[in-house]
Amino acid sequence: MSQLSLQEIIDIVEKLKKHFRSSLENLDDVDHAKALESETLSKKGSIASLNRQLGSLDQELRQSAGAVINQARAELSADYEKALSKLLVQARIKELESEKLDLSETVFDSSFRSGRTHLITRTRQELEDIFIGMGFTVEEGPEVETDWYNFEALNIPPYHPARAGQDSFYLKHGQPESMLLRTHTSPVQIRVMTSQQPPIYAVMPGRVYRRDTADARHTPAFHQIEGLVVDKGITFANLAGTIETFTKAIFGPNIVSRLRPGFFPFTEPSAEFEVTCAICEGAGCRTCSGTGWIELGGCGMIDPNVFGAVGLDPEVWNGFAFGFGIDRLAQMRYAISDMRVLLDNDVRFLRQF
Ligand code: DAH
């Protein structure tokens, strides 16, 4: 090969640069850019082969030409890196676009049924939310209880009818009649008071069991929510206000509550609390036997004997408790005439809510 002049080398390099840059500009794909890079800048590329030709030049020319080529290589490498990172970003954007899920294409298919929360669970969650909003905590206790928690600590005497075999499900475990399925959520009051220091503001929802024959208003397993407040200087007015606040929150402004004197061994004084019948809004109907009121639960000021059982000084602490049926409340709220449908798991019923 004849000797190249410096000018000729500069011309070749310029042409090569021009070609490289215009190719780079027109590329829209990472693989092509990599191919162009290898073709031009790799060990087997055109710049390297030009370099190899310098071997036959005399030293001075070789040095100047080498500098021109090295300079070009550096410039083109920088151009390539810049273009490559741009192409990589574009490729990533394209990839993400192609992976995007178009959810708007989901066509509503009326044969498709999704599951949902059971009415009782939903009512329980709503009650929890209301009480949490009022500053209460939510506590739970076991469904299998001892006689002490379910009865004795609650000041329920041995001759109380709830203790009778025909009312409670006793378990064959330990001493006869020492273990049972809890008949109410009130034993959780005892568990909370023996494990926490007052002040206590807690609600305790859960399943309870009684040997009732199922009918329109009873099922052998049902749900209650218990409320417990232990603090200093609590009054009956605080209890009535709490019940009225939750009644309004769950039933809306047209329903009010009222307390009637009642008796429970663990509260003194005790009351039964009733709410306006939601079906007739107080006018009187079959569901409320014409009275305009539906009984929801019981309540009262905590009996000093209960404080004694859990080791709290009734001279220092006082408070109130309440308990009512969640199923009964849901029955009222959704005007369900027969409670048994809540347990049948018939989806034709469950789907309505
Ligand atoms: N445990 C009672 C029941 O199942 C309901 C009840 C009444 C709970 C009065 C209370 C209360 O906390 O103070 O019939």
Side-chain angles (χ1 to χ4, degrees):
M1 178 175 146
S2 63
Q3 279 264 359
L4 286 168
S5 71
L6 183 60
Q7 190 53 52
E8 279 169 322
I9 291 172
I10 290 174
D11 288 347
I12 292 172
V13 168
E14 280 308 313
K15 238 162 92 187
L16 207 140
K17 274 164 70 175
K18 219 164 132 192
H19 170 71
F20 184 87
R21 283 178 173 147
S22 76
S23 309
L24 205 56
E25 222 165 84
N26 293 320
L27 283 179
D28 56 1
D29 165 306
V30 173
D31 287 342
H32 288 143
K34 284 183 176 165
L36 180 68
E37 191 266 356
S38 148
E39 216 170 79
T40 316
L41 297 167
S42 76
K43 276 188 189 140
K44 287 182 185 150
S46 41
I47 293 211
S49 87
L50 193 60
N51 240 340
R52 276 195 293 277
Q53 292 176 37
L54 300 185
S56 57
L57 303 182
D58 52 30
Q59 199 190 345
E60 200 182 326
L61 185 55
R62 196 164 68 215
Q63 272 178 3
S64 335
V68 169
I69 292 171
N70 283 343
Q71 165 80 14
R73 190 207 299 277
E75 282 174 21
L76 295 186
S77 289
D79 288 353
Y80 166 73
E81 291 302 334
K82 227 156 97 194
L84 182 71
S85 66
K86 215 158 118 190
L87 287 172
L88 283 170
V89 170
Q90 278 169 6
R92 183 71 186 133
I93 290 172
K94 230 165 148 180
E95 187 177 282
L96 289 175
E97 285 288 330
S98 74
E99 284 173 1
K100 203 157 82 181
L101 296 176
D102 183 0
L103 300 175
S104 65
E105 278 185 13
T106 308
V107 178
F108 178 72
D109 174 356
S110 58
S111 68
F112 176 79
R113 300 269 186 195
S114 64
R116 66 193 71 190
T117 314
H118 190 278
L119 196 55
I120 302 276
T121 310
R122 188 133 46 92
T123 307
R124 169 189 162 154
Q125 287 168 347
E126 283 174 23
L127 285 165
E128 287 177 8
D129 284 349
I130 290 169
F131 283 111
I132 287 170
M134 290 163 74
F136 285 68
T137 61
V138 178
E139 312 287 346
E140 278 180 307
E143 292 179 17
V144 172
E145 269 298 7
T146 64
D147 174 87
W148 189 78
Y149 282 103
N150 196 78
F151 296 128
E152 204 173 317
L154 287 162
N155 198 33
I156 299 175
Y159 49 83
H160 194 279
R163 288 209 183 197
Q166 69 265 28
D167 277 341
S168 305
F169 287 108
Y170 283 98
L171 302 176
K172 275 195 186 147
H173 187 90
Q175 294 290 315
E177 305 205 341
S178 63
M179 278 245 179
L180 72 164
L181 297 180
R182 64 181 179 194
T183 58
H184 51 177
T185 42
S186 302
V188 194
Q189 285 185 34
I190 304 300
R191 291 189 174 273
V192 169
M193 283 190 280
T194 49
S195 62
Q196 294 180 19
Q197 278 306 306
I200 295 168
Y201 291 76
V203 288
M204 296 142 268
R207 190 183 282 127
V208 302
Y209 302 85
R210 284 190 204 165
R211 292 183 61 179
D212 280 330
T213 304
D215 65 22
R217 287 160 67 81
H218 298 90
T219 53
F222 56 103
H223 303 80
Q224 289 187 333
I225 186 163
E226 194 80 12
L228 174 70
V229 167
V230 182
D231 206 335
K232 290 175 179 165
I234 299 291
T235 68
F236 204 90
N238 296 137
L239 165 59
T242 303
I243 289 195
E244 179 65 10
T245 305
F246 117 79
T247 302
K248 285 266 171 358
I250 197 98
F251 288 109
N254 294 336
I255 306 290
V256 294
S257 63
R258 74 173 185 186
L259 300 179
R260 289 193 317 152
F263 174 77
F264 296 98
F266 33 94
T267 42
E268 182 59 34
S270 300
E272 282 169 3
F273 83 85
E274 301 182 330
V275 295
T276 322
C277 176
I279 318 269
C280 61
E281 299 213 330
C285 65
R286 265 179 35 208
T287 309
C288 59
S289 314
T291 61
W293 296 93
I294 292 280
E295 190 191 322
L296 266 194
C299 60
M301 304 305 286
I302 295 166
D303 193 288
N305 287 343
V306 174
F307 281 134
V310 297
L312 287 174
D313 184 352
E315 298 295 323
V316 177
W317 302 104
N318 79 335
F320 62 76
F322 57 84
F324 55 89
I326 297 177
D327 316 60
R328 178 68 58 77
L329 185 140
Q331 184 182 19
M332 251 300 93
R333 195 167 174 221
Y334 296 97
I336 297 161
S337 52
D338 192 322
M339 203 128 122
R340 284 169 288 191
V341 293
L342 289 170
L343 296 176
D344 281 347
N345 277 342
D346 184 333
V347 289
R348 289 168 304 178
F349 167 75
L350 297 173
R351 269 181 199 146
Q352 295 174 45
F353 301 97

Short mmCIF file of all heavy atoms in Angstrom, two decimals, residues 183-186 189 210 224 226-227 264 266-267 271 297-300 321-324, ligand 1:
data_model
loop_
_atom_site.label_atom_id
_atom_site.label_comp_id
_atom_site.label_asym_id
_atom_site.label_seq_id
_atom_site.Cartn_x
_atom_site.Cartn_y
_atom_site.Cartn_z
N THR A 183 -71.65 -18.24 77.25
CA THR A 183 -73.06 -17.94 76.97
C THR A 183 -73.27 -16.47 76.66
O THR A 183 -74.36 -16.06 76.28
CB THR A 183 -73.93 -18.33 78.18
OG1 THR A 183 -73.46 -17.59 79.32
CG2 THR A 183 -73.84 -19.81 78.47
N HIS A 184 -72.24 -15.66 76.84
CA HIS A 184 -72.30 -14.24 76.52
C HIS A 184 -70.86 -13.70 76.39
O HIS A 184 -69.90 -14.44 76.65
CB HIS A 184 -73.10 -13.45 77.58
CG HIS A 184 -72.68 -13.70 79.01
ND1 HIS A 184 -73.24 -13.03 80.07
CD2 HIS A 184 -71.75 -14.52 79.56
CE1 HIS A 184 -72.69 -13.44 81.20
NE2 HIS A 184 -71.78 -14.34 80.91
N THR A 185 -70.71 -12.45 75.95
CA THR A 185 -69.35 -11.90 75.83
C THR A 185 -68.88 -11.25 77.13
O THR A 185 -67.75 -10.78 77.22
CB THR A 185 -69.26 -10.87 74.68
OG1 THR A 185 -70.42 -10.03 74.71
CG2 THR A 185 -69.17 -11.56 73.32
N SER A 186 -69.74 -11.25 78.15
CA SER A 186 -69.37 -10.60 79.41
C SER A 186 -68.09 -11.16 80.05
O SER A 186 -67.35 -10.40 80.69
CB SER A 186 -70.53 -10.66 80.40
OG SER A 186 -71.66 -10.02 79.83
N GLN A 189 -65.05 -9.09 79.66
CA GLN A 189 -64.86 -7.97 80.61
C GLN A 189 -63.88 -8.37 81.70
O GLN A 189 -62.97 -7.62 82.06
CB GLN A 189 -66.18 -7.66 81.34
CG GLN A 189 -67.24 -6.95 80.58
CD GLN A 189 -68.41 -6.63 81.53
OE1 GLN A 189 -68.22 -6.36 82.72
NE2 GLN A 189 -69.61 -6.64 81.00
N ARG A 210 -75.89 -20.69 73.13
CA ARG A 210 -76.92 -21.07 74.12
C ARG A 210 -77.76 -22.21 73.58
O ARG A 210 -77.97 -22.28 72.37
CB ARG A 210 -77.82 -19.87 74.43
CG ARG A 210 -77.13 -18.90 75.34
CD ARG A 210 -78.02 -17.82 75.87
NE ARG A 210 -77.17 -16.69 76.21
CZ ARG A 210 -77.61 -15.47 76.44
NH1 ARG A 210 -78.90 -15.21 76.35
NH2 ARG A 210 -76.76 -14.50 76.74
N GLN A 224 -72.44 -11.36 70.04
CA GLN A 224 -72.71 -10.20 70.91
C GLN A 224 -71.54 -9.23 70.82
O GLN A 224 -70.44 -9.60 70.38
CB GLN A 224 -72.84 -10.64 72.37
CG GLN A 224 -74.10 -11.42 72.68
CD GLN A 224 -74.25 -11.67 74.17
OE1 GLN A 224 -73.27 -11.73 74.91
NE2 GLN A 224 -75.49 -11.81 74.62
N GLU A 226 -69.78 -6.58 73.61
CA GLU A 226 -69.77 -6.15 75.00
C GLU A 226 -69.06 -4.80 75.06
O GLU A 226 -68.11 -4.57 74.30
CB GLU A 226 -68.95 -7.19 75.79
CG GLU A 226 -69.11 -7.12 77.26
CD GLU A 226 -70.39 -7.81 77.71
OE1 GLU A 226 -71.03 -8.51 76.92
OE2 GLU A 226 -70.74 -7.61 78.89
N GLY A 227 -69.49 -3.93 75.96
CA GLY A 227 -68.77 -2.68 76.16
C GLY A 227 -68.35 -2.58 77.61
O GLY A 227 -69.06 -3.06 78.49
N PHE A 264 -79.37 -7.40 86.02
CA PHE A 264 -78.28 -8.30 85.66
C PHE A 264 -77.39 -8.42 86.88
O PHE A 264 -77.15 -7.41 87.56
CB PHE A 264 -77.47 -7.76 84.46
CG PHE A 264 -78.29 -7.66 83.20
CD1 PHE A 264 -78.86 -6.45 82.82
CD2 PHE A 264 -78.51 -8.78 82.41
CE1 PHE A 264 -79.64 -6.36 81.67
CE2 PHE A 264 -79.29 -8.70 81.26
CZ PHE A 264 -79.85 -7.49 80.88
N PHE A 266 -74.30 -8.65 87.26
CA PHE A 266 -72.98 -7.99 87.21
C PHE A 266 -73.06 -6.47 87.11
O PHE A 266 -72.04 -5.80 87.00
CB PHE A 266 -72.12 -8.57 86.07
CG PHE A 266 -72.93 -9.00 84.87
CD1 PHE A 266 -73.12 -8.14 83.81
CD2 PHE A 266 -73.50 -10.27 84.83
CE1 PHE A 266 -73.87 -8.54 82.70
CE2 PHE A 266 -74.24 -10.68 83.73
CZ PHE A 266 -74.43 -9.82 82.67
N THR A 267 -74.27 -5.92 87.10
CA THR A 267 -74.40 -4.46 87.08
C THR A 267 -75.44 -4.03 88.12
O THR A 267 -76.42 -4.74 88.37
CB THR A 267 -74.82 -3.94 85.68
OG1 THR A 267 -75.82 -4.81 85.15
CG2 THR A 267 -73.65 -3.88 84.75
N ALA A 271 -80.08 -1.90 83.43
CA ALA A 271 -81.17 -1.47 82.54
C ALA A 271 -81.17 -2.34 81.29
O ALA A 271 -80.16 -2.93 80.93
CB ALA A 271 -80.98 0.00 82.16
N GLY A 297 -80.35 -5.00 74.15
CA GLY A 297 -79.37 -5.57 75.08
C GLY A 297 -79.54 -5.05 76.48
O GLY A 297 -80.56 -4.43 76.83
N GLY A 298 -78.52 -5.34 77.29
CA GLY A 298 -78.55 -4.92 78.68
C GLY A 298 -77.36 -4.04 78.99
O GLY A 298 -76.38 -4.00 78.24
N CYS A 299 -77.47 -3.33 80.12
CA CYS A 299 -76.36 -2.46 80.50
C CYS A 299 -76.50 -2.06 81.98
O CYS A 299 -77.51 -2.39 82.62
CB CYS A 299 -76.35 -1.20 79.64
SG CYS A 299 -77.85 -0.21 79.77
N GLY A 300 -75.53 -1.38 82.49
CA GLY A 300 -75.63 -0.90 83.86
C GLY A 300 -74.28 -0.47 84.40
O GLY A 300 -73.27 -0.52 83.69
N ALA A 321 -71.05 -1.09 81.90
CA ALA A 321 -70.90 -2.16 80.91
C ALA A 321 -72.19 -2.26 80.12
O ALA A 321 -73.25 -1.83 80.59
CB ALA A 321 -70.58 -3.48 81.59
N PHE A 322 -72.07 -2.77 78.93
CA PHE A 322 -73.28 -3.06 78.16
C PHE A 322 -73.00 -4.25 77.26
O PHE A 322 -71.84 -4.60 77.00
CB PHE A 322 -73.74 -1.85 77.33
CG PHE A 322 -72.70 -1.31 76.38
CD1 PHE A 322 -72.55 -1.87 75.11
CD2 PHE A 322 -71.88 -0.24 76.74
CE1 PHE A 322 -71.59 -1.37 74.23
CE2 PHE A 322 -70.92 0.26 75.86
CZ PHE A 322 -70.78 -0.31 74.60
N GLY A 323 -74.06 -4.89 76.80
CA GLY A 323 -73.88 -6.01 75.89
C GLY A 323 -75.13 -6.19 75.07
O GLY A 323 -76.24 -6.02 75.59
N PHE A 324 -74.96 -6.47 73.80
CA PHE A 324 -76.15 -6.71 72.98
C PHE A 324 -75.84 -7.62 71.80
O PHE A 324 -74.68 -7.87 71.47
CB PHE A 324 -76.78 -5.39 72.52
CG PHE A 324 -75.84 -4.47 71.78
CD1 PHE A 324 -75.70 -4.57 70.41
CD2 PHE A 324 -75.13 -3.51 72.46
CE1 PHE A 324 -74.85 -3.71 69.73
CE2 PHE A 324 -74.27 -2.66 71.78
CZ PHE A 324 -74.13 -2.75 70.43
N1 DAH B 1 -74.48 -10.56 79.17
C1 DAH B 1 -75.88 -10.16 79.06
C2 DAH B 1 -76.63 -11.15 78.22
O1 DAH B 1 -76.07 -11.90 77.52
C3 DAH B 1 -75.97 -8.79 78.40
C4 DAH B 1 -75.43 -7.71 79.28
C5 DAH B 1 -76.27 -7.05 80.19
C6 DAH B 1 -74.12 -7.34 79.20
C7 DAH B 1 -75.80 -6.05 80.98
C8 DAH B 1 -73.64 -6.31 80.01
C9 DAH B 1 -74.49 -5.68 80.90
O2 DAH B 1 -72.37 -5.91 79.96
O3 DAH B 1 -74.02 -4.70 81.67
O4 DAH B 1 -77.84 -11.16 78.29
#
